[in-house]
Amino acid sequence: MPEQPTTKPQGPAAAQPQGLSTAQAARLAAQGRANRMPRTADGGVAAIVRRNIFTLFNLINLLMAALLVWVGSYRNLLFLGVVICNAGIGLAQELRAKRMHDRLQLLSEGRVRTLRDGAETLLPPAELVEGDVIRLRRGDQLPGDGLALEGSAAVNEALLTGESEPLPKTAGDALLSGSYLTEGSLTVRLTAVGERSFAGRLQKNARRIRRPHSELMASLQRVIRWVSAGLVPLGAALYLRQTAVLGLAVPTAVTKTVGAMLGMIPEGLMLLTSVALAVGVVRLGRRNALVNELYGIENLARVDVLCLDKTGTLTGGQMRLSGVEPAPGVDAAEVGRALQAVVAAFAGDDSPTLAALAQAYPPAGEPAVATVPFGSDRKWSAATFATLGTLVLGAPETTLAVEEPLRLRAAEQAAQGLRVLAFLRCDAPLQGKTLPPERTALALLFLEDAPRPEAAEALRYFAREGVSVKVISGDSALTASRVAAAVGLPDAALAVDCSAMDRTPDYDALAARYTVFGRVSPEDKRELVLAYKRAGHAVGMIGDGVNDVPALKAADCSIAMAGGSDAAARVAQLTLLHADFTVTPAIVLEGRRVINNITRAASLFLVKNLFSFLLAALLLVLPFAYPFAPIQMTLVSTLTIGFPSFVLALQPSRERVRGRFLRNVLLRALPGGITVAAVCVGVLIAGAALALPEAQISTICTLAAAFSGLGMLLCVSLPLNALRGALLAAMTAALLTATLLFPSVFYLTPLTGPAPLLLGIAFAAAGLLLTGLTLLLRRVR
């Protein structure tokens, strides 16, 4: 791991931050000292092209095509057309998704307050250069390594070092790129950017942050490993048996072996997955949701517990000071002057609370001697003045004594849905970040944030879909409960004040009992998410603040609201660019559509793979040649698997994803795979007993496989709707057209003698076996 920067500024210049001029910045950028991060191994157009063109299965397909050319079986090369179309479709969809993603990422990219030409300006991180002076506030992320010139803050470096405890930073301290401010503000000179920064060197050394587990991708990779391990040995063994034992000519044995191997390759399954995910990215992009990680779509589909703060989700996030109630014996004018001084002391804090106070009490008064910025864990901020003493602004539960008369009044107003802050004075100075025991209450401040009218419909949707919504808020439990009840959240009265809990609460018991959690710390949020996960739930977390980062990282699916902290947007799998919670039902529905339809269509692909493997394995011991030519396998797979799967992958699907992906797919595919393999073996045995020509046996097996494929298509299409019914009818018509009008193209021969009867028996056996196995495995599933 690269060493952390330890240099500190020397001399008085460090205390006089000076920004660069535009000309200086341009020269530094030309010298290669701009904030350009190294390219990741999985990004860029070139990587997408490689991923779709240069694959193991494409290589195997080319080798099989070369073998067919070698033996002169040109007609069987039709499968190459499918391979080329597959690669083209996958490439086009991924490039389209990348364009959408890049555009949305540009829109969501934060701006950094930078000193240029003697004035503060907002610049994107990529336009910064080494030597720039920037100003950071709570929630901002370091775009490069730097030295603190002014201010004080607590900085979290967990995204880089894994150390979750925020570190205090003041003038002269070194800072790491990728860390973020949990409180306070700093003026920083960038000492290393891009590849030279700490985060850049980590990325260049290919050390990545561990990503959450993806059930879908892990299952697909497992299928590919199984197929890759068995494909070549089984194909070689089949070829040797057909030439050495059955005495087939080399051209015939090559053609039949290629037909067998073609059925074993699940290339369409990978294409289907990439296309479905890419289409999901584009659809979510149209709803102004930026997908930072593809597995976020999968995790969305599994969510059954959704945790969120009330501010900005159930409410609009625009705070308004609705009233000030001075303590008995305190002059209102005195409170007003003190509030103006506090607002001036925290002029750099752009939080909704300070913005609301600044509207009513414009900053004025004597400058602060020292400040302690707001901390999510302690729930207060403070400023010390020469004549006013120390003024504290914070939650009544953590700043007012239990016996304080205003404490009861605060609870009454919080129960009405208001956010209540206590305003106090301390004559004794602060001891670090600990409030003196002697405090005098000056006033209660009442703020309101109106509920979103449209949030009620979103909550009704989640209730219908079996998703439990939990409110985890830094506000009073009474306030959060009242707002939640106003928008119709079920069980909103089940609320608990986390600040009043024991030091080591039983989070599992709390999660099982309550719906609304108030006065939570960042650690409380994280532990509650983990408690729901331990209970077997798939947990989604919506947040926008730096205090949400631990919970976002712990959740199965993390969603950030744009306009919040940089750190929250960086760790989230999805970002809502319009910060609109009410679009989340549509986003969850899109996740379900993508994964349910991948599961539905993947079972079609695995039918072909299963029966090809089973049939090839059985023919290693049975005295028969493989019955399918490559072009016949192409006909069956295109009309019963390939085209239908892409239509099904774009269908609506509302059901929440349950169970393990691979188990679900295999249980759906087993009836079809076993049916085709069993019927084909039966046809081979009966055909040999009836002395039917090999061409007629091959025709019967092809038609029986196609009939079984249509039966599987019917099973996965249930319940039928207009589109699925039309798809089934169209595929049946296309199969009949190919069979009746172009039989010679697909090596289909007229059936004579007992062959039509054998075909009828094969159809009947396939229908009965497919139905019976489907019902049996449905009971098992």
Side-chain angles (χ1 to χ4, degrees):
M1 177 184 291
E3 295 182 1
Q4 301 181 14
T6 56
T7 309
K8 294 191 177 184
Q10 303 294 327
Q16 301 174 358
Q18 296 292 323
L20 300 175
S21 68
T22 301
Q24 288 174 316
R27 283 197 299 270
L28 289 167
Q31 295 170 9
R33 297 165 75 182
N35 193 27
R36 299 283 193 273
M37 295 297 286
R39 290 186 176 183
T40 57
D42 55 352
V45 174
I48 294 175
V49 172
R50 287 196 301 271
R51 192 159 55 244
N52 284 274
I53 304 300
F54 303 105
T55 68
L56 171 63
F57 292 138
N58 280 353
L59 175 62
I60 294 175
N61 279 319
L62 288 176
L63 291 175
M64 292 192 298
L67 290 173
L68 291 175
V69 170
W70 176 56
V71 300
S73 184
Y74 302 110
R75 194 188 311 175
N76 282 305
L77 292 173
L78 182 63
F79 75 90
L80 278 182
V82 177
V83 173
I84 293 170
C85 288
N86 284 351
I89 292 172
L91 187 61
Q93 287 288 3
E94 284 206 55
L95 289 175
R96 181 186 178 205
K98 183 183 186 304
R99 285 195 298 270
M100 172 70 79
H101 182 273
D102 290 347
R103 181 177 68 82
L104 295 179
Q105 198 167 40
L106 185 63
L107 293 174
S108 70
E109 189 177 55
R111 297 292 188 266
V112 182
R113 288 175 284 272
T114 309
L115 292 178
R116 284 278 177 92
D117 298 318
E120 183 176 300
T121 183
L122 295 176
L123 293 177
E127 292 185 15
L128 299 178
V129 297
E130 191 174 303
D132 263 326
V133 175
I134 61 174
R135 289 172 174 163
L136 303 172
R137 299 172 182 171
R138 179 174 180 265
D140 289 344
Q141 192 167 36
L142 271 293
D145 296 343
L147 293 172
L149 304 180
E150 286 183 344
S152 63
V155 177
N156 190 304
E157 298 176 349
L159 299 180
L160 295 169
T161 65
E163 176 57 53
S164 60
E165 192 67 26
L167 304 175
K169 299 286 183 179
T170 57
D173 287 333
L175 299 161
L176 295 177
S177 54
S179 56
Y180 59 92
L181 275 63
T182 59
E183 60 181 69
S185 61
L186 290 171
T187 300
V188 176
R189 175 175 286 119
L190 297 179
T191 58
V193 296
E195 295 187 4
R196 294 184 178 88
S197 69
F198 184 75
R201 283 175 287 171
L202 282 181
Q203 188 168 310
K204 195 172 182 179
N205 293 338
R207 298 192 178 192
R208 301 178 183 176
I209 298 171
R210 182 178 177 270
R211 300 301 186 191
H213 174 71
S214 168
E215 172 69 23
L216 174 65
M217 300 313 294
S219 298
L220 291 177
Q221 290 167 1
R222 197 173 303 129
V223 169
I224 290 174
R225 285 198 299 269
W226 292 345
V227 172
S228 302
L231 183 64
V232 175
L234 192 56
L238 189 62
Y239 170 77
L240 292 174
R241 177 170 177 78
Q242 291 183 131
T243 53
V245 178
L246 301 181
L248 298 183
V250 169
T252 303
V254 166
T255 301
K256 291 183 176 295
T257 302
V258 168
M261 295 180 69
L262 194 62
M264 300 177 199
I265 298 175
E267 59 186 355
L269 179 57
M270 298 305 298
L271 171 71
L272 170 78
T273 304
S274 62
V275 168
L277 289 174
V279 170
V281 169
V282 173
R283 288 191 174 187
L284 289 174
R286 289 173 180 164
R287 296 185 178 275
N288 292 295
L290 171 63
V291 180
N292 297 317
E293 296 291 346
L294 279 180
Y295 58 73
I297 296 179
E298 173 191 356
N299 295 339
L300 263 180
R302 300 178 181 276
V303 165
D304 62 345
V305 170
L306 185 63
C307 301
L308 47 86
D309 195 351
K310 77 169 182 62
T311 304
T313 52
L314 302 183
T315 63
Q318 299 296 322
M319 305 298 295
R320 184 181 70 86
L321 184 65
S322 62
V324 176
E325 186 174 303
V330 177
D331 182 51
E334 178 189 354
V335 172
R337 288 190 296 271
L339 281 173
Q340 285 185 294
V342 169
V343 170
F346 293 103
D349 191 331
D350 55 359
S351 70
T353 299
L354 263 297
L357 292 179
Q359 282 188 341
Y361 296 95
E366 64 177 293
V369 176
T371 61
V372 176
F374 178 82
S376 301
D377 51 350
R378 58 180 183 275
K379 304 297 181 187
W380 58 263
S381 59
T384 300
F385 303 87
T387 60
L388 294 175
T390 297
L391 299 176
V392 180
L393 197 63
E397 294 87 345
T398 58
T399 57
L400 293 176
V402 175
E403 66 276 5
E404 178 69 47
L406 287 183
R407 183 82 176 258
L408 180 59
R409 176 62 176 162
E412 291 174 352
Q413 292 301 302
Q416 301 303 313
L418 295 176
R419 182 176 187 181
V420 184
L421 295 178
F423 190 37
L424 308 94
R425 175 186 288 121
C426 308
D427 293 327
L430 292 171
Q431 301 297 321
K433 294 182 180 179
T434 302
L435 288 176
E438 298 298 325
R439 303 188 289 271
T440 302
L442 296 179
L444 292 179
L445 311 181
F446 307 126
L447 299 98
E448 61 180 358
D449 186 8
R452 289 178 182 263
E454 62 273 23
E457 178 54 38
L459 293 178
R460 283 194 293 269
Y461 164 83
F462 286 126
R464 288 195 304 268
E465 298 299 322
V467 178
S468 299
V469 175
K470 309 294 181 181
V471 176
I472 304 179
S473 175
D475 277 351
S476 157
L478 290 172
T479 302
S481 175
R482 184 63 177 259
V483 171
V487 293
L489 179 66
D491 298 324
L494 299 177
V496 60
D497 183 347
C498 292
S499 65
M501 297 187 303
D502 296 333
R503 295 173 77 73
T504 56
D506 184 348
Y507 288 103
D508 292 333
L510 291 171
R513 181 176 180 183
Y514 295 103
T515 300
V516 176
F517 303 86
R519 298 298 183 206
V520 294
S521 67
E523 187 63 20
D524 289 332
K525 289 190 178 186
R526 176 181 177 274
E527 289 300 327
L528 286 169
V529 167
L530 292 175
Y532 285 117
K533 291 177 69 173
R534 286 192 295 271
H537 295 288
V539 184
M541 176 70 198
I542 301 177
D544 60 357
V546 66
N547 57 322
D548 296 317
V549 169
L552 288 169
K553 291 173 65 178
D556 296 299
C557 180
S558 51
I559 303 174
M561 308 282 276
S565 73
D566 289 346
R570 295 294 182 270
V571 302
Q573 297 167 13
L574 294 99
T575 302
L576 304 184
L577 297 182
H578 285 180
D580 185 3
F581 159 73
T582 59
V583 305
T584 51
I587 293 175
V588 170
L589 195 60
E590 179 64 21
R592 292 183 178 185
R593 185 195 65 77
V594 170
I595 304 305
N596 278 329
N597 287 335
I598 287 177
T599 304
R600 186 193 305 269
S603 60
L604 290 176
F605 280 98
L606 287 187
V607 167
K608 181 189 73 167
N609 305 139
L610 283 172
F611 87 70
S612 296
F613 268 107
L614 288 173
L615 189 56
L618 289 171
L619 292 181
L620 290 179
V621 295
L622 295 175
F624 306 112
Y626 196 78
F628 299 107
I631 197 170
Q632 293 171 333
M633 188 63 68
T634 301
L635 173 68
V636 172
S637 62
T638 300
L639 296 183
T640 65
I641 300 170
F643 183 78
S645 67
F646 285 102
V647 175
L648 292 175
L650 303 178
Q651 282 281 283
S653 181
R654 304 177 66 92
E655 182 183 357
R656 182 169 65 86
V657 176
R658 293 178 172 86
R660 302 182 68 85
F661 173 79
L662 189 56
R663 180 177 182 274
N664 290 342
V665 170
L666 284 175
L667 286 177
R668 289 188 181 208
L670 272 175
I674 294 173
T675 295
V676 176
V679 169
C680 286
V681 169
V683 168
L684 290 171
I685 294 173
L690 295 171
L692 291 178
E694 183 181 346
Q696 291 196 23
I697 294 175
S698 177
T699 298
I700 295 173
C701 286
T702 301
L703 295 177
F707 178 80
S708 300
L710 291 175
M712 273 300 300
L713 179 57
L714 172 62
C715 290
V716 300
S717 297
L718 294 176
L720 285 176
N721 56 22
L723 182 60
R724 293 173 190 164
L727 172 66
L728 189 61
M731 294 302 97
T732 303
L735 185 62
L736 290 174
T737 300
T739 303
L740 298 177
L741 300 184
F742 308 102
S744 60
V745 174
F746 300 101
Y747 295 117
L748 300 177
T749 188
L751 302 180
T752 59
L757 177 61
L758 180 58
L759 177 63
I761 294 173
F763 279 5
L768 290 173
L769 191 56
L770 181 61
T771 303
L773 288 174
T774 299
L775 293 175
L776 176 62
L777 288 176
R778 186 173 296 171
R779 293 187 63 182
V780 171
R781 188 172 60 189

